[in-house]
Amino acid sequence: IEDISNKDDLPLRGNSSKGNKKYHGIGKDKNLIVLQVEALQNFVINNKYEGQEITPNINKLIKDKSSIYFDNYYQLIGRGNTSDAEFVSQNSLYPTMKDGSYALYGDNTFYGLPWILRDEGYTSWVFHGYKPEFWNRDKAYPNQGFERFINQEDFDVKNTIGFGIIDEDFFEQSIPYIKEMGEPFYSFMITLTSHTPFNMPEEYHVLDIKEEHKDTMFGNYLQSIHYTDKSIGEFIEELKKEGLYENTVIALYGDHFALHSTHENNEEIMTEYLGYDYDHQDMMNIPLVIHVPGEDINETISTVGSQLDFLPTMLNIMGLENEKGIMFGIDLINSTDSLVAQQYYLPKGSYFDSEKQFVMAKDGIYDHSRCHDLKTRKPIKIEKAKGKYKKALREIEISNYILENDLIKQIINDSGNIKVKEK
Ligand code: GP9
């Protein structure tokens, strides 16, 4: 038994870089809008298809002088898909593998971004244009710290694609609610239209897709994400018109992959399109963009990180610390000590760090695992990967233990005597 009753012994990685931190507090007291974009992969960013820009509006946001773009950022979800992306990003905890994290631990106490901002006087609302009970969101959100959930029942759902309200209508109809929140506000907005299998009526098809890619998942995805990008561009223009843009930090990231390498002919098409083997590394790579109005930044940060790092990174931008809870992530602006520990799309204990991708063998025998350099994609000896493999397993285990025992509640109350079983 290892005693971690003193919360300073817990892996509060996000709070580790003390002192003069880069970009610390540049978003202080500003409103915050976080856009979690359905199935937004990183390969479409700053990229073209047959000469056509796929995501011109997100690219424009990235090129803005006040933006930071993270191009080595990865998904970290489990069974709860989109809702796990939310959970991990808001809380900097690993998702459970037993069920969706909201479903299993919706009743737990948390202290993530919505709560921290509320403690600073913000109003925290969440927006998503689907059924409130899906993924147990309606039950889980209050404990996540959201005071109100603007959902399908609050929108006029006239135009639908796939799951429901189209992104353009979702954004347009959200503006009055955002205005109703008062300032400072934190709006967490989860888009919907670019959901697999990415089928949209012809009238929404804007890109010219080659015959060989028509009716493939790849071709449909490009159309779909191009549409969502357009709706994001319109939303930003609307924020400008409403006078909200100049005092609002906008953070945008993808929730998870769109094109699984083993589905349909994705691997073949993507390998041809990218010019190199389409691997898990590319599949799980999502973009993160943070725009802080008025700042002169325009930087691309290539530190390897994941949704686990979103909360500590945002706290640095907003000039805040997590005084009460626990975070497993790091601030990607002030630290490079990343660990993207996998347990779902790759066997448990697989990971990315700043140098390599380690893939644990499916049979559980370490010697059968493989490892390669993230940049060159050349093999690395697996002996070099063992230390972090153990650390990855340990972090996942502690995070699970925290969830299973609702420990954030105890930690907040400082009632202490928390112990974690050492394997
Ligand atoms: C619906 C949407 C589902 O609410 O979030 O997305 P999924 O989890 O299936 O990617």
Side-chain angles (χ1 to χ4, degrees), residues 38 80-83 128 130 134-135 137 163 192 195 255-256:
E38 177 65 34
N81 265 354
T82 297
S83 64
H128 180 57
Y130 196 51
F134 196 75
W135 288 128
R137 283 182 172 112
F163 268 66
L192 189 59
H195 194 279
D255 62 352
H256 52 66

Side-chain angles (χ1 to χ4, degrees), residues 241-303:
K241 270 192 215 143
E242 296 290 345
L244 291 168
Y245 184 77
E246 287 311 321
N247 198 30
T248 302
V249 175
I250 298 175
L252 174 158
Y253 62 86
D255 62 352
H256 52 66
F257 67 83
L259 303 173
H260 196 292
S261 54
T262 63
H263 291 178
E264 288 196 15
N265 44 4
N266 288 340
E267 188 174 4
E268 194 191 318
I269 296 178
M270 282 295 288
T271 297
E272 199 195 330
Y273 176 72
L274 296 171
Y276 49 82
D277 285 348
Y278 184 54
D279 188 3
H280 272 93
Q281 182 183 330
D282 312 298
M283 184 182 118
M284 295 201 272
N285 187 196
I286 50 171
L288 167 64
V289 185
I290 303 172
H291 180 268
V292 187
E295 292 297 316
D296 234 325
I297 312 171
N298 193 253
E299 185 174 356
T300 296
I301 294 183
S302 297
T303 302

Side-chain angles (χ1 to χ4, degrees), residues 57-72:
N57 293 291
I58 299 174
N59 298 350
K60 192 173 151 202
L61 184 70
I62 289 171
K63 280 193 200 93
D64 190 286
K65 71 174 179 60
S66 305
S67 289
I68 317 169
Y69 167 46
F70 300 80
D71 62 354
N72 247 325

Side-chain angles (χ1 to χ4, degrees), residues 12-287:
L12 274 156
R13 291 206 278 140
N15 276 355
S16 61
S17 58
K18 299 271 185 229
N20 238 347
K21 294 193 269 184
K22 189 175 168 186
Y23 301 150
H24 186 75
I26 57 175
K28 194 153 183 58
D29 298 330
K30 290 189 168 34
N31 305 311
L32 174 63
I33 294 179
V34 174
L35 302 178
Q36 181 175 296
V37 183
E38 177 65 34
L40 176 64
Q41 283 191 226
N42 195 49
F43 83 89
V44 294
I45 302 296
N46 292 331
N47 210 349
K48 288 186 174 167
Y49 174 81
E50 296 293 300
Q52 305 159 93
E53 216 175 343
I54 305 167
T55 55
N57 293 291
I58 299 174
N59 298 350
K60 192 173 151 202
L61 184 70
I62 289 171
K63 280 193 200 93
D64 190 286
K65 71 174 179 60
S66 305
S67 289
I68 317 169
Y69 167 46
F70 300 80
D71 62 354
N72 247 325
Y73 194 69
Y74 294 89
Q75 70 172 59
L76 201 85
I77 61 168
R79 285 170 198 278
N81 265 354
T82 297
S83 64
D84 274 355
E86 301 169 20
F87 174 80
V88 174
S89 303
Q90 299 297 313
N91 295 292
S92 194
L93 294 167
Y94 288 89
T96 175
M97 291 299 116
K98 291 180 185 158
D99 199 346
S101 303
Y102 284 166
L104 207 54
Y105 300 116
D107 295 336
N108 277 20
T109 298
F110 293 98
Y111 192 67
L113 193 54
W115 282 121
I116 296 170
L117 288 171
R118 274 173 73 177
D119 277 356
E120 294 296 311
Y122 282 68
T123 303
S124 296
W125 289 8
V126 55
F127 299 68
H128 180 57
Y130 196 51
K131 295 175 194 156
E133 66 279 7
F134 196 75
W135 288 128
N136 201 34
R137 283 182 172 112
D138 56 343
K139 304 261 167 34
Y141 279 156
N143 291 331
Q144 293 290 310
F146 292 110
E147 298 160 272
R148 193 161 163 199
F149 175 17
I150 305 297
N151 62 72
Q152 184 176 272
E153 292 164 12
D154 300 295
F155 295 110
D156 180 7
V157 186
K158 290 189 301 263
N159 308 308
T160 62
I161 293 176
F163 268 66
I165 186 169
I166 57 170
D167 285 345
E168 280 173 293
D169 290 359
F170 165 69
F171 281 128
E172 193 191 331
Q173 293 181 34
S174 291
I175 293 269
Y177 288 113
I178 294 175
K179 283 162 70 179
E180 195 186 318
M181 292 174 76
E183 299 188 54
F185 61 78
Y186 168 33
S187 306
F188 180 35
M189 310 183 75
I190 302 136
T191 73
L192 189 59
T193 304
S194 50
H195 194 279
T196 193
F198 317 115
N199 293 328
M200 297 193 301
E202 280 290 324
E203 69 208 75
Y204 291 96
H205 290 196
V206 171
L207 297 174
D208 280 331
I209 299 288
K210 289 197 285 189
E211 211 47 50
E212 65 195 275
H213 294 147
K214 279 204 175 128
D215 298 322
T216 64
M217 207 178 222
F218 171 75
N220 290 342
Y221 174 60
L222 296 187
Q223 296 286 21
S224 177
I225 206 68
H226 185 73
Y227 167 77
T228 293
D229 173 81
K230 175 177 175 254
S231 72
I232 291 169
E234 288 169 2
F235 178 57
I236 290 174
E237 287 312 308
E238 210 49 47
L239 290 173
K240 286 180 185 167
K241 270 192 215 143
E242 296 290 345
L244 291 168
Y245 184 77
E246 287 311 321
N247 198 30
T248 302
V249 175
I250 298 175
L252 174 158
Y253 62 86
D255 62 352
H256 52 66
F257 67 83
L259 303 173
H260 196 292
S261 54
T262 63
H263 291 178
E264 288 196 15
N265 44 4
N266 288 340
E267 188 174 4
E268 194 191 318
I269 296 178
M270 282 295 288
T271 297
E272 199 195 330
Y273 176 72
L274 296 171
Y276 49 82
D277 285 348
Y278 184 54
D279 188 3
H280 272 93
Q281 182 183 330
D282 312 298
M283 184 182 118
M284 295 201 272
N285 187 196
I286 50 171

